[in-house]
Amino acid sequence: MMPIPLKSSLRFAALLALSLWGPASCIRDEEPNAEADIETATLHVSAPEAFFFHASDSVQHVSSADTAIRFDVRWGADLSALSPEFTLTAGATIAPASGSTHDFSGEGVFYTVTSQDGAWQRRYRVWFRPIRSDTTPTTTQVHFDFEDFALDATTQKYYIWNEPNGVLDADCWATGNPGFRLSKSTAQPVDYPTVPLEQGRTGHGVQLTTRSTLPFGAMVNMRLAAGNLFIGKFDVTNAMRDAMQATQFGKPFTLAPLRFEGWYRYAAGANYQNRNGVVQPDSVDCADIYAVFYRNTAADGTPVTLHGDDVLTHPALVAVARVQSLHETDEWTPFAVDFAYRSEVNDSILAARGYSLAIVASSSRDGASFCGAVGSTLLIDDFSVTCKSQQP
Amino acid sequence: MTSLKLLLLLLALSLCVALHATTPDEPLADNPEQTPWGFEVSAGVALGGATPIPFDRTIRSIRSLTPTGCAAIQVDALRRLGPRWGLRSGLRLSWQGVTSEVRVKNYHTQLTMHRDRLTGYYTGLDKNHERFCLLTVPVLVTYRLGTRWQLSAGPYLQWALHRRFFGSVYEGYLREGTPTGLKVAFDRNTPATYDFSHSMRRFLWGCEVGCRWQAYRRLSAFAAFDLGLNDAFHHSFRTVNFKMYPVAATLGVGYRL
């Protein structure tokens, strides 16, 4: 009896079978690339510390969802002749050319990227936003009334919220709605986890509801989407790969927060389920509302952003205000919690946008790991952050 | 895997014995093929799965290809029509499958579940598992070449008793809608899984060519190759945007009753 190495002989037989169809089944020439993205935008200036607040601001990693690329610069920076450089997806070309010099003192410059195969184009606006840091905000109370919302301009599928108070960026509010859209193409704007509430405590509020993402969600083991609203950015590209990393908390904030207040109503959904969709009879869903204040630049100058998995534990945290007892209630109920400081605030770093504030609200506390009860509903309205008055 | 190994060893052993036991041109005394009717039972190794023909240009490399299942049993009726020509038909039950890992680039796909839909262009890895249990009825014309060799060709009809087509995508990304759409990334740790088993056809047909070598009076070795001529997926299935055809090779030994 001759010895037969089983696996290799099977492979050989399979390859033999395939090779019989060699003329028909073989790898054919690669098509030219169809993608047309700016992946990074970089501005080299002679004195970056004088031009930008942080040297790291000179490089912008551009999300596939973005068509506007914004550089935040110090007030008074000379924008009349700048030469930003771009990295593009393989084979793509850009006009005007990467590194060409333009006047950015107006609304910015539009660039068009064309794919290698010539069939696809994307148009980007690159602009610079000068920010004053010599005058601190006069207010010590920052209100969030959630009255300014609209359908997302690109998709018209879900709501986004703007913040007109002037202390934070207008686009500071983010939600997980863009991720939910991928799983529910047929959902109407009101079916999303985060939707405007017609009758808030005053004017409009926000309704956060834990929604099922089935059947699509099961493909990626993410069977529900908690309603959430937070200050920061939702990176939908990474929503499937690493949901915790997709929630990027915080925006630069030039005041030291002392107290976090607001109003809520909450009803937990009936069946708390774990990540695998198995109902846990002994568990009850609960909501989560908190605010964190953290140092947004590391000692070596690299930017720091808190994510879903470290927003309450990261060593960069300076102060945390977490609402401890969010019991179920069908009446508008106030909450108020002081920021518990772990370290001192440096006033010059504060003025130079070196700290970030994040406010986070979620209808399921464990929603970031896709555990919770479908139907849990958190209503929020009239948040405010009281800040330390600045020395004149 | 043990039964598979046993089959392979049996096959190899019988081929070995056959090759040493007879000299090629010695006429076989009392050859049952000389009778007008005959019956034969066969067993062998079946390799195969559904494959795109020709390969789509979005398929950039095959990183691995591993056959599984791989067994076939068959009962045939034979009818001699003349000194060289004849007919062969019967019933083959085969278990076959293949696991493949391929890298694709800008591969257009549309996932549909109930009314929800996600369309786009995927670039990255795709690990796919195909498993079939097939009942095949070939109707073959046979032609004898000398005393030992016989060629056969003809159509077959096939019924999939069991079919599975599932897998996962990872280390890649989907561009939603168009190649410039939103990028949705997938990791090896958090792949997106799929199962399109129910979008596969049960009824298949195609053509088979084969050859057979008469080792002994009753014992023969054979090879048959099947090529499906209808798409392995239902017409309405859009997720795989090129046609995939079932192909299979069966190697085995037959025994004339």
Side-chain angles (χ1 to χ4, degrees):
Chain A
M1 190 183 291
M2 59 180 162
I4 298 182
L6 176 68
K7 210 161 183 182
S8 59
S9 59
L10 279 180
R11 285 233 172 87
F12 174 75
L15 287 173
L16 186 75
L18 272 182
S19 67
L20 289 172
W21 298 92
S25 290
C26 61
I27 304 294
R28 296 158 74 202
D29 288 345
E30 187 164 338
E31 306 230 36
N33 200 0
E35 294 173 295
D37 304 275
I38 292 178
E39 293 186 325
T40 64
T42 309
L43 182 74
H44 296 290
V45 289
S46 51
E49 296 291 353
F51 195 88
F52 297 105
F53 287 99
H54 313 292
S56 57
D57 290 349
S58 62
V59 181
Q60 299 292 318
H61 295 274
V62 185
S63 153
S64 67
D66 291 343
T67 54
I69 301 168
R70 186 186 77 205
F71 290 92
D72 286 346
V73 297
R74 289 182 188 272
W75 193 259
D78 181 8
L79 305 177
S80 61
L82 300 177
S83 314
E85 293 171 12
F86 306 99
T87 58
L88 311 173
T89 37
T93 54
I94 188 168
S98 173
S100 58
T101 304
H102 304 276
D103 180 0
F104 283 89
S105 55
E107 289 297 295
V109 174
F110 286 90
Y111 290 81
T112 301
V113 183
T114 305
S115 64
Q116 187 179 28
D117 68 4
W120 301 94
Q121 286 192 328
R122 293 194 73 179
R123 193 158 178 263
Y124 290 87
R125 174 186 173 214
V126 178
W127 63 296
F128 288 75
R129 183 177 69 159
I131 296 173
R132 293 193 85 97
S133 61
D134 52 340
T135 59
T136 52
T138 52
T139 177
T140 57
Q141 269 241 312
V142 185
H143 290 282
F144 305 94
D145 56 15
F146 308 117
E147 301 298 330
D148 188 349
F149 54 87
L151 282 177
D152 171 63
T154 314
T155 63
Q156 296 285 313
K157 283 282 194 178
Y158 53 83
Y159 287 97
I160 57 171
W161 279 260
N162 293 309
E163 192 48 65
N165 64 28
V167 181
L168 283 145
D169 290 350
D171 62 354
C172 67
W173 288 112
T175 74
N177 281 351
F180 185 78
R181 185 182 67 87
L182 295 172
S183 68
K184 286 278 176 191
S185 63
T186 53
Q188 296 301 304
V190 295
D191 300 330
Y192 276 73
T194 307
V195 300
L197 179 64
E198 189 67 35
Q199 295 200 309
R201 195 187 78 92
T202 59
H204 292 91
V206 184
Q207 176 177 325
L208 313 175
T209 313
T210 302
R211 306 276 193 196
S212 167
T213 59
L214 297 180
F216 260 106
M219 289 179 69
V220 284
N221 199 25
M222 300 173 182
R223 291 174 175 78
L224 55 77
N228 61 14
L229 182 72
F230 59 93
I231 290 176
K233 186 173 177 172
F234 185 74
D235 176 16
V236 68
T237 289
N238 288 313
M240 308 278 183
R241 178 163 63 190
D242 188 346
M244 291 286 191
Q245 290 293 307
T247 42
Q248 302 173 349
F249 294 116
K251 290 282 183 181
F253 193 66
T254 53
L255 293 163
L258 297 174
R259 192 170 171 80
F260 175 39
E261 292 166 273
W263 296 79
Y264 78 97
R265 289 166 61 177
Y266 187 61
N271 297 311
Y272 183 94
Q273 65 186 60
N274 67 11
R275 181 152 194 171
N276 296 320
V278 179
V279 172
Q280 311 287 295
D282 298 333
S283 299
V284 178
D285 205 1
C286 65
D288 208 1
I289 299 175
Y290 57 88
V292 298
F293 185 64
Y294 68 93
R295 181 80 175 90
N296 60 23
T297 311
D300 63 358
T302 55
V304 173
T305 304
L306 304 192
H307 298 97
D309 50 355
D310 62 9
V311 61
L312 292 164
T313 56
H314 198 283
L317 283 170
V318 174
V320 175
R322 191 177 199 184
V323 185
Q324 290 302 333
S325 54
L326 281 168
H327 50 88
E328 290 195 64
T329 167
D330 55 6
E331 298 282 329
W332 282 105
T333 306
F335 67 83
V337 54
D338 289 330
F339 279 84
Y341 273 83
R342 304 171 177 197
S343 57
E344 293 289 309
V345 174
N346 179 314
D347 286 343
S348 60
I349 294 174
L350 186 66
R353 300 167 65 79
Y355 294 97
S356 286
L357 174 75
I359 292 173
V360 182
S362 171
S363 56
S364 292
R365 181 168 282 204
D366 304 323
S369 44
F370 303 94
C371 306
V374 171
S376 289
T377 305
L378 173 68
L379 311 181
I380 55 173
D381 203 1
D382 295 329
F383 281 10
S384 69
V385 174
T386 308
C387 302
K388 193 177 158 193
S389 63
Q390 301 295 299
Q391 302 299 324
Chain B
M1 215 53 186
T2 324
S3 59
L4 180 65
K5 204 170 202 166
L6 190 69
L7 255 176
L8 258 182
L9 287 173
L10 266 176
L11 173 65
L13 184 67
S14 43
L15 278 175
C16 247
V17 171
L19 284 169
H20 286 99
T22 57
T23 51
D25 287 326
E26 185 185 324
L28 297 168
D30 188 22
N31 191 334
E33 285 248 349
Q34 303 305 318
T35 59
W37 283 96
F39 294 93
E40 191 171 65
V41 289
S42 314
V45 179
L47 299 166
T51 180
I53 299 175
F55 261 32
D56 195 78
R57 285 179 76 177
T58 59
I59 299 172
R60 299 316 318 147
S61 67
I62 301 174
R63 290 166 56 108
S64 71
L65 193 67
T66 311
T68 53
C70 305
I73 52 173
Q74 184 164 350
V75 183
D76 280 327
L78 317 170
R79 172 78 175 120
R80 198 158 72 89
L81 298 177
R84 290 190 180 277
W85 294 92
L87 285 175
R88 170 186 285 268
S89 184
L91 197 59
R92 177 164 70 233
L93 184 62
S94 60
W95 296 265
Q96 63 199 48
V98 66
T99 295
S100 61
E101 187 181 48
V102 300
R103 189 172 66 81
V104 298
K105 179 187 165 191
N106 210 35
Y107 163 75
H108 186 252
T109 183
Q110 172 176 306
L111 291 172
T112 307
M113 288 198 180
H114 298 297
R115 287 162 55 236
D116 291 308
R117 178 179 294 182
L118 183 61
T119 62
Y121 291 80
Y122 177 72
T123 297
L125 297 180
D126 177 3
K127 187 161 196 171
N128 178 250
H129 306 267
E130 296 175 33
R131 303 283 182 271
F132 299 98
C133 178
L134 299 167
L135 205 55
T136 309
V137 180
V139 181
L140 307 174
V141 174
T142 60
Y143 181 78
R144 288 174 57 89
L145 282 174
T147 53
R148 292 184 182 275
W149 287 94
Q150 187 188 68
L151 303 178
S152 58
Y156 69 81
L157 300 177
Q158 205 166 50
W159 181 256
L161 296 172
H162 173 79
R163 76 270 198 244
R164 287 208 68 196
F165 189 97
F166 62 100
S168 55
V169 295
Y170 48 89
E171 282 179 20
Y173 56 88
L174 180 86
R175 302 297 306 241
E176 191 207 2
T178 72
T180 57
L182 184 69
K183 205 178 212 176
V184 183
F186 300 97
D187 217 15
R188 195 177 276 272
N189 297 326
T190 54
T193 57
Y194 61 84
D195 188 340
F196 303 139
S197 304
H198 295 288
S199 299
M200 300 205 92
R201 284 183 205 273
R202 277 200 184 274
F203 175 70
L204 300 157
W205 63 278
C207 61
E208 176 172 318
V209 292
C211 66
R212 185 170 291 264
W213 184 74
Q214 202 68 36
Y216 286 120
R217 188 170 148 265
R218 294 186 181 273
L219 196 66
S220 61
F222 72 93
F225 199 87
D226 290 6
L227 171 65
L229 292 175
N230 62 345
D231 192 352
F233 287 102
H234 287 299
H235 185 66
S236 58
F237 183 67
R238 295 261 182 272
T239 305
V240 178
N241 73 328
F242 42 75
K243 288 189 173 178
M244 293 187 72
Y245 298 93
V247 293
T250 311
L251 306 169
V253 289
Y255 186 81
R256 280 288 292 267
L257 299 174

